[in-house]
Amino acid sequence: MDKRQVIAAYRRGFLTIQECAQIIGVDSRQAARIADDTKYMHESNSRHEQPAAKSL
């Protein structure tokens, strides 16, 4: 699973920090630092932004 998706799931409340850390293979403190990193947040958010399809 993509680590960005795991972090995004944690931010949305689907995972606890412990679950997130276990999935990405780090300790809880390191996972919290990664999740709070604004650079990492920007990268994961920009991947999901796509132009909306125009309807006829």
Side-chain angles (χ1 to χ4, degrees):
M1 178 175 255
D2 186 8
K3 291 180 182 180
R4 290 178 297 251
Q5 291 177 338
V6 175
I7 297 293
Y10 163 71
R11 287 193 188 123
R12 292 183 185 123
F14 295 115
L15 299 173
T16 66
I17 194 65
Q18 291 83 10
E19 292 167 330
C20 177
Q22 185 176 15
I23 292 168
I24 63 176
V26 298
D27 66 37
S28 297
R29 289 174 290 173
Q30 188 175 3
R33 283 193 303 261
I34 293 169
D36 291 337
D37 186 2
T38 57
K39 176 185 171 222
Y40 197 69
M41 280 176 56
H42 177 68
E43 289 176 4
S44 64
N45 288 340
S46 65
R47 290 184 159 267
H48 298 292
E49 294 175 7
Q50 297 179 2
K54 294 182 180 180
S55 60
L56 299 173

